[in-house]
Amino acid sequence: NLAAIWQTVENTILAEDGLDVQSGKSWIELIDLESWTKMYLMEEIFANGDACFISQYFYYDGGENDGKIYAGPIWDFDHAMGTRKTWALTIPNSFYANRLNVKDGFDSPWFYYLYQKEEFYERMLEEYEKVFLPALELLRNVTIQTYAQQIECAASMDYVRWSVESHG
């Protein structure tokens, strides 16, 4: 039952020792560390206001494979990079994905608790240095204007579709 699997994953993430009391499994056995750290970094770097709130995808790779929960695909960044006024924009050192701001049962504290776990934190730093930093430098130095031009029409239609009054 997928709901039970998700509950076990959440139990391990929220547990201080990282273990689910009923199954005895560790969070690191249940999630794909690489995909979760990459999602965390995407949400933080691009300041996604929807991080751990709505529009998040995860999938279960059960069956004959490893039986882990994967984060992704990443999507829905219309509340990112300062495009909308969000609570965190008023606090320069705030986190987006790593926030313990569970309100109305919508926000998820998963990344907040994972960030406290040494294995997650170390892997996140490795992914940042190995994958994200070089990509961000390339984006800054070479390609950002090209991408802006490529998505200009789609961005305009997003504003029309979602009835956004201001463009930033």
Side-chain angles (χ1 to χ4, degrees):
N1 167 327
L2 190 54
I5 292 167
W6 271 105
Q7 188 60 59
T8 301
V9 168
E10 182 170 79
N11 293 347
T12 64
I13 290 172
L14 301 182
E16 191 172 324
D17 63 0
L19 299 172
D20 177 54
V21 227
Q22 293 180 338
S23 70
K25 291 190 176 185
S26 162
W27 67 274
I28 207 150
E29 295 175 78
L30 300 171
I31 70 169
D32 175 69
L33 189 55
E34 179 181 352
S35 67
W36 281 66
T37 55
K38 285 181 177 179
M39 178 181 270
Y40 172 82
L41 286 165
M42 288 293 295
E43 303 287 12
E44 289 297 342
I45 290 168
F46 294 101
N48 187 8
D50 286 340
C52 289
F53 179 59
I54 57 175
S55 297
Q56 304 287 292
Y57 277 118
F58 297 89
Y59 66 93
Y60 177 64
D61 190 8
E64 297 177 15
N65 294 316
D66 61 11
K68 292 186 176 191
I69 300 286
Y70 286 75
I74 293 172
W75 79 295
D76 195 10
F77 276 65
D78 62 332
H79 286 219
M81 299 178 70
T83 58
R84 304 284 200 285
K85 290 183 179 179
T86 61
W87 65 270
L89 288 177
T90 60
I91 308 166
N93 295 326
S94 66
F95 288 101
Y96 283 79
N98 177 11
R99 65 182 184 229
L100 188 57
N101 182 32
V102 181
K103 59 180 188 286
D104 302 328
F106 291 113
D107 285 355
S108 166
W110 293 343
F111 285 119
Y112 175 84
Y113 285 97
L114 285 171
Y115 191 84
Q116 314 304 315
K117 299 183 186 317
E118 186 177 345
E119 297 94 338
F120 184 87
Y121 185 80
E122 292 298 323
R123 181 61 179 264
M124 184 261 312
L125 290 178
E126 287 173 23
E127 291 293 337
Y128 178 77
E129 290 174 6
K130 181 176 75 175
V131 177
F132 283 81
L133 190 56
L136 289 168
E137 288 172 350
L138 177 65
L139 183 65
R140 181 190 71 207
N141 295 328
V142 180
T143 59
I144 199 159
Q145 291 304 320
T146 302
Y147 288 142
Q149 291 168 352
Q150 289 175 354
I151 67 168
E152 185 175 11
C153 291
S156 294
M157 291 310 299
D158 183 66
Y159 286 113
V160 169
R161 166 61 180 95
W162 295 105
S163 302
V164 175
E165 293 177 20
S166 70
H167 292 232

